[in-house]
Amino acid sequence: MRLIFLGAPGAGKGTLASTIGKEIGLPQLSTGDLFRDAVKNGTELGLRVKGIMEKGELVPDELTVALVRERLGRADTAQGYILDGFPRTIPQAEALASFQRIDGVVNFQCGDEVVVRRLSGRRICRSCGAIYHVENMPPRREGICDRCGGELYIRDDDRIDSIRNRLRVYQAQTEPLIGYYRGRGLLHDIDAEQTVEKSLAQLRKVLKKLRKAG
Ligand code: AP5
């Protein structure tokens, strides 16, 4: 199954993609993670995108599409995948449609204030990428990952000025994709303001429907 997770920053796409991906055996392809790896490794791509990401702006479409195209050419995507954070603009969606057929788009509905609270409390494991929240999903020991004992850190773009800008960018450039995919009969809304368990239950129903239709 080829899926897209669409939604505002902090709506919970990464959290649910990681859990459901393991459950149904599909790789989670997060463009944000791919860019952050490039920054961490100091590659040419990383140097180009570092400042853009810190401000909460979008990386240019041609760089992003080339990265995704290369990633989707790898063997682990043969049975399907979850695209987490891509596409984020209409030109990215059109480029994707020119080389991939998508089965469904899950739209994570979540209001701005919830997003701000989630992102300002987010902590991520430097070693395994596990996602926590200081109030909603705290680790057992402060600053330490439950899964692997790695150090938890705060993303550079999870500062309040950057969060507000990411929300503006989302509304201007990504929200139009809701109409784009709804018009193509591919969109499935889930209420992402609920607990993780409730959102997951709703997501499982969407996937069941997609399996029946396919
Ligand atoms: P990216 O990494 O994709 O960031 P994002 O879309 O802003 O999304 P986030 O990772 O911030 O949020 P999420 O929805 O995954 O939420 P999470 O599950 O972590 O992109 C970063 C940057 O890379 C972009 O700004 C851009 O510069 C660049 N980029 C990436 N893709 C691009 C593209 N296609 N084109 C151009 N540029 C691109 O959850 C958030 C917090 O909430 C966590 O703490 C979690 O524990 C908590 N939480 C989650 N769900 C719940 C729940 N149900 N209840 C309570 N708490 C919850």
Side-chain angles (χ1 to χ4, degrees), residues 24 26 29 44 63 65 84 108 113 120-121 126 134 146 159 198 210 212:
I24 61 177
L26 292 182
L29 309 186
E44 199 187 320
L63 280 181
V65 170
D84 164 13
F108 285 61
E113 288 320 308
S120 36
R126 233 180 249 295
V134 288
D146 293 349
R159 287 172 290 106
K198 284 187 179 160
L210 285 174
K212 270 193 190 158

Side-chain angles (χ1 to χ4, degrees), residues 35-201:
F35 287 134
R36 275 184 292 279
D37 282 348
V39 172
K40 194 165 89 185
N41 297 328
T43 65
E44 199 187 320
L45 175 69
L47 295 176
R48 284 183 74 175
V49 304
K50 188 172 189 293
I52 299 175
M53 292 177 76
E54 278 171 8
K55 278 185 265 168
E57 300 290 333
L58 292 185
V59 174
D61 288 338
E62 67 276 13
L63 280 181
T64 309
V65 170
L67 182 80
V68 170
R69 205 179 176 121
E70 189 275 323
R71 183 63 186 84
L72 292 182
R74 296 199 207 155
D76 66 337
T77 64
Q79 301 307 314
Y81 47 76
I82 301 171
L83 282 174
D84 164 13
F86 179 91
R88 256 174 153 98
T89 64
I90 298 279
Q92 288 182 14
E94 285 173 343
L96 179 68
S98 73
F99 66 92
Q100 293 282 308
R101 182 187 50 80
I102 295 298
D103 298 303
V105 178
V106 181
N107 178 33
F108 285 61
Q109 295 180 312
C110 192
D112 289 3
E113 288 320 308
V114 175
V115 158
V116 171
R117 275 203 303 279
R118 285 188 183 171
L119 292 181
S120 36
R122 175 163 61 183
R123 300 291 182 271
I124 299 175
C125 175
R126 233 180 249 295
S127 307
C128 73
I131 305 170
Y132 297 88
H133 188 279
V134 288
E135 286 160 13
N136 305 341
M137 279 167 256
R140 283 193 292 274
R141 279 184 299 159
E142 198 186 323
I144 308 284
C145 178
D146 293 349
R147 272 199 227 158
C148 74
E151 180 203 358
L152 302 187
Y153 78 103
I154 302 175
R155 262 170 53 175
D156 288 338
D157 58 352
D158 280 348
R159 287 172 290 106
I160 193 68
D161 53 335
S162 183
I163 294 173
R164 294 274 178 213
N165 193 39
R166 283 157 68 200
L167 276 170
R168 278 193 293 272
V169 168
Y170 169 75
Q171 279 147 14
Q173 301 193 55
T174 308
E175 236 171 31
L177 288 174
I178 295 175
Y180 176 91
Y181 284 120
R182 204 183 295 285
R184 284 161 179 74
L186 288 170
L187 201 82
H188 302 269
D189 296 314
I190 67 164
D191 175 0
E193 290 197 0
Q194 313 173 89
T195 61
V196 171
E197 289 68 29
K198 284 187 179 160
S199 298
L200 259 176

